[in-house]
Amino acid sequence: MSQLRDHEDKAFVRRAKAVLDRTAADLDQAATLRLQRARLAALSRRASWRPRLAWVSGLAVAAAAVVAVWLWGHQPPTQHPHAALPWEDVELVSSLENVELADDLDFYHWLAGDDTQG
Amino acid sequence: MISSRRLVALDIAHTGWQGRVSPLEELRALDRFLAGVERRAFRMAQLATGQDDEALDLVQEAMLKLVERYAARDEAEWGPLFHRILQSKIRDWYRRQRVRSRWRVWLGRDEDGEAADDPLEAIADPAMPTAEHQVTLKEASAALDEALRSLPLRQQQAFLLRAWEELDVAQTAAAMGCSEGSVKTHYFRAIHTLRKRLGNHWP
């Protein structure tokens, strides 16, 4: 029973394929021409693509990366050890807790002096 | 358009391609592949969308994407890749249509009226042969088209890719973006629905 159904299914698929093939072959001229134009437009895009352009852009990116790494590695030493952390400075200044600390600045100066002297 | 002079120039300009496919050979292979698949691709998109212009746009977009992104791939991979792109574009088209139809319903518009009343639709194509077997074929084709269009999209895709394009289950699953088990289910249902619908009308 199952074999018969499989056989009928296969026969049906063969007939459907033949009909579909025929309809594809009998496409009207307008559709055929538009398909040809679409194909040629796609191929033209490939033809205008140059592998060496990809190489050039790849080399340019690599060169830029090398220069960036070199510049980063050869930065002159900064005078202030915390110059690269401006946001920490901002946070120190803007924090409410640190405003209170600033009020007692005289005390901390005295404390620091006391430490170094005693 | 590509002129033959440009193709020759491409071939001459790239003489260091020993062991690999030259740009000219690659273009020729792409041309052969696309020429071989374009009509069936158009019919698939036409069956899915029901509109020639939309179908042609989808096929063109699929061609462009294949050429731009996958031309360097092995030639044997182009078929499954092309169908994957095309089927993905058809699914996107379906989603857009669903959204549009929801908006049309919400706005209370019916945009199909104009097309249905177009008198040009009733004029016969004089280029069509009038032999009796052609009439039979046309009837068979119309019945099959109608039955295919009435299938859910996934069943239609599974049937066309498996039965017509002769992709295997794995390739069809890749093209449809689903599991191999789903492909088998959709294909099985498609065949039995089509056989039931066509019944005695099938030649």
Side-chain angles (χ1 to χ4, degrees):
Chain A
M1 184 67 185
S2 172
Q3 278 186 335
L4 177 66
R5 200 177 62 188
D6 283 350
H7 178 74
E8 286 173 355
D9 285 351
K10 281 178 183 164
F12 171 79
V13 166
R14 272 199 304 275
R15 285 200 301 273
K17 188 177 179 324
V19 170
L20 287 166
D21 278 339
R22 194 61 194 260
T23 60
D26 288 347
L27 275 186
D28 65 66
Q29 204 165 0
T32 307
L33 283 173
R34 280 186 66 183
L35 285 170
Q36 281 175 1
R37 276 204 297 271
R39 173 167 29 107
L40 291 171
L43 293 172
S44 296
R45 194 153 315 176
R46 183 65 183 170
S48 60
W49 184 82
R50 293 281 187 282
R52 62 174 172 273
L53 288 181
W55 275 97
V56 169
S57 56
L59 279 174
V61 170
V66 167
V67 169
V69 168
W70 186 85
L71 286 173
W72 182 73
H74 289 78
Q75 276 182 329
T78 52
Q79 294 295 320
H80 198 284
H82 299 297
L85 302 168
W87 286 109
E88 285 184 14
D89 295 347
V90 171
E91 194 183 341
L92 272 172
V93 172
S94 62
S95 159
L96 189 63
E97 189 184 350
N98 291 327
V99 171
E100 287 168 7
L101 279 174
D103 289 341
D104 297 329
L105 207 56
D106 290 339
F107 168 74
Y108 288 108
H109 273 305
W110 171 80
L111 194 65
D114 195 45
D115 273 353
T116 52
Q117 287 163 17
Chain B
M1 296 274 178
I2 307 172
S3 66
S4 57
R5 190 183 302 167
R6 185 167 188 185
L7 287 176
V8 170
L10 265 174
D11 213 23
I12 292 167
H14 296 82
T15 50
W17 290 80
Q18 287 85 355
R20 282 191 291 164
V21 178
S22 77
L24 177 61
E25 284 167 4
E26 184 189 83
L27 274 179
R28 281 184 179 148
L30 274 168
D31 187 38
R32 274 196 307 275
F33 168 75
L34 292 175
V37 81
E38 67 192 12
R39 285 163 177 264
R40 293 197 305 279
F42 169 69
R43 287 282 291 130
M44 282 185 192
Q46 190 188 39
L47 285 165
T49 62
Q51 297 171 39
D52 288 7
D53 284 343
E54 298 284 347
L56 282 162
D57 286 347
L58 291 174
V59 173
Q60 179 163 14
E61 285 170 23
M63 283 178 170
L64 280 170
K65 192 165 177 184
L66 179 88
V67 167
E68 280 179 352
R69 297 203 181 172
Y70 303 109
R73 293 280 192 98
D74 192 79
E75 203 174 326
E77 293 180 50
W78 288 344
L81 282 168
F82 177 77
H83 285 293
R84 187 175 184 163
I85 298 166
L86 181 65
Q87 298 306 326
S88 162
K89 293 203 173 288
I90 288 172
R91 285 196 298 276
D92 287 346
W93 184 88
Y94 252 72
R95 286 189 201 108
R96 285 198 302 273
Q97 288 302 110
R98 270 210 300 268
V99 172
R100 276 179 203 156
S101 65
R102 262 188 237 128
W103 274 97
R104 274 203 294 271
V105 169
W106 189 72
L107 294 168
R109 288 183 189 165
D110 181 13
E111 293 179 1
D112 297 332
E114 192 184 339
D117 295 338
D118 186 356
L120 290 174
E121 295 291 320
I123 299 172
D125 184 354
M128 281 299 293
T130 53
E132 199 169 321
H133 71 278
Q134 286 287 348
V135 173
T136 311
L137 177 73
K138 203 170 178 181
E139 282 171 2
S141 153
L144 180 59
D145 274 20
E146 198 181 327
L148 280 167
R149 279 191 187 124
S150 69
L151 289 178
L153 179 64
R154 307 298 274 167
Q155 288 184 31
Q156 189 189 97
Q157 288 179 322
F159 181 80
L160 291 172
L161 291 171
R162 293 279 290 119
W164 199 14
E165 278 301 316
E166 296 179 340
L167 297 186
D168 62 30
V169 176
Q171 289 170 333
T172 307
M176 290 175 61
C178 66
S179 69
E180 293 183 19
S182 295
V183 168
K184 287 175 187 169
T185 307
H186 290 311
Y187 185 54
F188 178 82
R189 286 183 183 160
I191 288 179
H192 291 93
T193 308
L194 287 172
R195 285 189 61 191
K196 201 172 164 186
R197 291 226 170 111
L198 290 166
N200 296 329
H201 303 293
W202 193 245

